[in-house]
Amino acid sequence: MFNALIAKTLPIVPKSIVKAVAKRYIAGDTLNDAVQTTKRLEKAGATATIDVLGEFVRNREEAEHSREMSAQVVEAIRQHKLPAYLSVKLTSLGLDIDKQFGYENVKELVEQAKQSKIFVRMDMENTPYTDTTLKFYKRLREDGYDNVGVVIQAYLKRSEKDIKSLIDYNASVRLCKGIYVESPDVAFKNPDEIRANYKKLLKILIENQMPVGIATHDDNLISFAEQYIKGEKISKKNYEFQMLLGVREDRRDDLIKKEHKVRIYVPFGDDWYGYSTRRLKENPQIAGYVLKALLTGK
Ligand code: FDA
């Protein structure tokens, strides 16, 4: 109850406080911070997917800047031989400004990554972009790029149909619950329904031998996935667990110890506000952290 209240009032919490509380979710302001974080994760036995923070850019210059930043990530992964790939939000590349411009931008990145055998995951944003993101994925594959993957959100009622449309592509899918505020017309709202759909979708992905990133911190779903994978004798090549930086590191280490592959989402950059506030709203300890920061300034 109190947490929900804090989550609702976040927009009026000073940005400095939000940043103090949210910094655990972000590698830092610079690409070097992301590189160092990835190296630390490698030592802990995990891999990474690096994301330049930013979304919903307003003009072509911002989109080109975003593309350039992501291109630098690809180059850093190559140079430092990081166990990592790139995650990218299509609205940061100008999808909202002009679809063809957005497509050219993502294609340029995927082409650059392909030269160095680096994979690119297109994050999934809110429902105005679902169709286009899936279309871009299919178009990239038809244009000859297989170093690209997509994300499916279990809270969306359309997701089963979407996954079925990806079977012929043997698509690499990150499966998550979904984080945006969506209408009950298109999305399940009840946590049990979302979990049930997650399990159903995971089974479809695994039955069809599609490479899957099991992106969740939910114990119930992680345990389900572990048992299912064991029961079906799924090869390690075909699945990995994925988690967000700064969330449930105990569970991450436990999965690594059990010899599952684990990939951590490593965001960096100065455009941290939208990403951080979404994370804070999911944090069960949000009220305590925000109050402490308000009282101590840290
Ligand atoms: P849930 O939110 O129920 O969390 C389960 C438990 O984990 C909580 O009870 C709590 O203990 C802990 N927890 C979760 N979040 C926490 C936090 N911030 N701080 C502290 N504890 C926390 N979404 C999307 O719409 N498009 C996308 O492309 C992606 N991409 C993506 C990549 C990766 C690697 C991950 C892990 C997640 C995403 N997501 C995403 C976000 C996803 O949709 C979802 O919002 C979060 O992962 C939280 O959902 P869980 O499945 O963890 O369950």
Side-chain angles (χ1 to χ4, degrees):
M1 185 67 191
F2 194 38
N3 275 336
L5 186 68
I6 293 271
K8 279 216 173 84
T9 50
L10 264 186
I12 56 167
V13 174
K15 278 199 168 181
S16 57
I17 299 290
V18 177
K19 188 165 191 184
V21 186
K23 62 173 189 266
R24 57 187 288 200
Y25 302 121
I26 291 168
D29 288 342
T30 67
L31 174 55
N32 186 45
D33 294 325
V35 170
Q36 298 312 323
T37 300
T38 302
K39 288 184 175 171
R40 272 197 300 278
L41 289 168
E42 185 177 16
K43 281 201 183 118
T47 58
T49 179
I50 303 179
D51 167 62
V52 182
L53 287 168
E55 50 202 305
F56 310 114
V57 300
R58 290 168 300 258
N59 56 53
R60 284 173 186 257
E61 290 70 34
E62 281 179 10
E64 279 157 2
H65 175 69
S66 256
R67 188 197 64 215
E68 181 46 34
M69 297 280 288
S70 286
Q72 288 176 19
V73 172
V74 172
E75 178 52 20
I77 294 172
R78 188 193 68 76
Q79 234 181 44
H80 296 269
K81 299 191 175 56
L82 299 175
Y85 61 65
L86 175 76
S87 276
V88 72
K89 286 188 174 47
L90 291 183
T91 61
S92 79
L93 297 177
L95 178 68
D96 236 0
I97 299 166
D98 169 0
K99 282 195 182 136
Q100 185 56 24
F101 171 69
Y103 183 74
E104 293 303 330
N105 280 334
V106 70
K107 186 173 158 187
E108 196 175 312
L109 280 174
V110 173
E111 168 64 37
Q112 179 204 349
K114 188 179 175 182
Q115 306 292 329
S116 310
K117 299 193 171 59
I118 293 170
F119 187 82
V120 178
R121 172 86 54 194
M122 294 188 291
D123 285 351
M124 188 58 86
E125 300 175 79
N126 43 344
T127 43
Y129 307 106
T130 314
D131 273 333
T132 315
T133 305
L134 292 170
K135 269 192 201 136
F136 277 23
Y137 171 78
K138 292 172 186 172
R139 202 170 147 193
L140 283 163
R141 291 294 306 274
E142 281 148 20
D143 282 350
Y145 298 100
D146 53 11
N147 59 324
V148 61
V150 75
V151 178
I152 292 286
Q153 297 154 323
Y155 66 7
L156 290 188
K157 295 178 181 170
R158 57 178 285 169
S159 285
E160 182 174 352
K161 202 166 123 252
D162 288 338
I163 285 189
K164 288 186 171 156
S165 80
L166 293 167
I167 292 175
D168 283 348
Y169 293 82
N170 189 237
S172 165
V173 172
R174 172 196 296 153
L175 183 62
C176 65
K177 284 185 184 174
I179 181 61
Y180 300 90
V181 180
E182 298 289 357
S183 130
D185 296 342
V186 297
F188 299 111
K189 290 288 175 185
N190 178 314
D192 289 335
E193 272 185 307
I194 298 172
R195 273 198 198 103
N197 201 40
Y198 193 107
K199 292 175 187 173
K200 182 177 175 186
L201 299 177
L202 182 61
K203 280 184 171 178
I204 300 175
L205 289 165
I206 289 182
E207 274 161 14
N208 287 285
Q209 284 136 41
M210 293 159 82
V212 57
I214 305 163
T216 180
H217 317 93
D218 185 331
D219 277 327
N220 179 301
L221 293 179
I222 294 175
S223 301
F224 171 84
E226 281 188 280
Q227 276 170 21
Y228 190 68
I229 285 161
K230 201 171 164 194
E232 300 290 311
K233 300 191 175 63
I234 306 304
S235 149
K236 283 199 192 331
K237 276 200 308 234
N238 260 12
Y239 79 92
E240 64 184 20
F241 287 94
Q242 298 189 351
M243 292 189 175
L244 301 171
L245 187 67
V247 180
R248 302 227 46 202
E249 290 172 355
D250 53 337
R251 203 65 169 98
R252 175 197 79 188
D253 292 341
D254 173 61
L255 287 168
I256 294 171
K257 220 182 277 167
K258 289 178 176 163
E259 298 188 357
H260 292 296
K261 279 204 265 174
V262 178
R263 186 176 302 275
I264 305 297
Y265 192 93
V266 175
F268 79 95
D270 46 21
D271 196 356
W272 49 270
Y273 189 74
Y275 180 85
S276 300
T277 49
R278 287 199 293 272
R279 294 290 82 81
L280 285 175
K281 287 177 189 170
E282 291 174 318
N283 188 330
Q285 272 102 40
I286 177 179
Y289 288 142
V290 173
L291 279 179
K292 184 172 163 245
L294 277 168
L295 294 174
T296 64
K298 281 189 234 157

